[in-house]
Amino acid sequence: MSCKLLSEDMNLLIVNEENKLDTRENINDKLHVLSSNQLSEDDLNSLALVIDGKSLGFALEEDLEDSFLELAVMCKAVICCRVSPLQKALVVKLVKRKKKALLLAIGDGANDVSMIQAAHVGVGISGMEGMQAARSADFAIGQFKYLKKLLLQRFQWSINC
């Protein structure tokens, strides 16, 4: 809420299952409901997916990854909580493999290094958790608040080229 990734009026789609079968059913049920309703742009902008590490492990398996990605791209925000460093990198690699998009990964600790390196552009934030993320990134900043300035400056440079 504080970084405005989620808002009070957003509809949370929560996936936190104990086994693969339940994870598959949860994701497919959500996809069915969303695809059967004609959703407007405002409706899609009010969706946020929250998935825990255990369910994400199942969702990243080959037979579920397409459904998971389809559900994720319908949402304005996707939050993967309690995930391993490997899972962070696998999510980035999945999107990189399946979508024609440039990926930016931002991290501030050693657990973010593999995700930062898997993305097209990595931003490391140095600080409380050490320098590992900043050392492995394409760009390093001292605090999260400098991210906006970095992105705006890089965008301006890319337009002028």
Side-chain angles (χ1 to χ4, degrees), residues 1 3-7 10-14 34 43-51 68-80:
M1 294 285 195
C3 69
K4 297 186 174 56
L5 186 59
L6 297 178
S7 62
M10 290 185 101
N11 296 311
L12 298 181
L13 306 175
I14 298 174
L34 292 175
D43 293 333
L44 291 175
N45 281 332
S46 71
L47 294 175
L49 175 62
V50 179
I51 186 167
F68 166 65
L69 186 59
E70 184 181 348
L71 179 61
V73 298
M74 288 181 169
C75 299
K76 182 177 182 179
V78 178
I79 299 174
C80 302

Side-chain angles (χ1 to χ4, degrees), residues 66-144:
D66 289 332
S67 298
F68 166 65
L69 186 59
E70 184 181 348
L71 179 61
V73 298
M74 288 181 169
C75 299
K76 182 177 182 179
V78 178
I79 299 174
C80 302
C81 53
R82 294 184 221 97
V83 299
S84 70
L86 176 61
Q87 288 175 315
K88 292 178 182 186
L90 289 174
V91 168
V92 170
K93 288 176 183 177
L94 171 65
V95 176
K96 204 173 170 182
R97 209 175 57 242
K98 302 277 184 173
K99 296 291 176 186
K100 302 281 189 238
L102 290 176
L103 297 173
L104 168 73
I106 306 163
D108 66 350
N111 61 336
D112 299 318
V113 170
S114 59
M115 172 187 67
I116 288 170
Q117 291 176 339
H120 292 103
V121 179
V123 176
I125 302 172
S126 59
M128 299 293 275
E129 293 193 39
M131 294 293 295
Q132 295 94 331
R135 286 191 183 125
S136 66
D138 300 307
F139 298 95
I141 57 177
Q143 295 178 13
F144 191 76

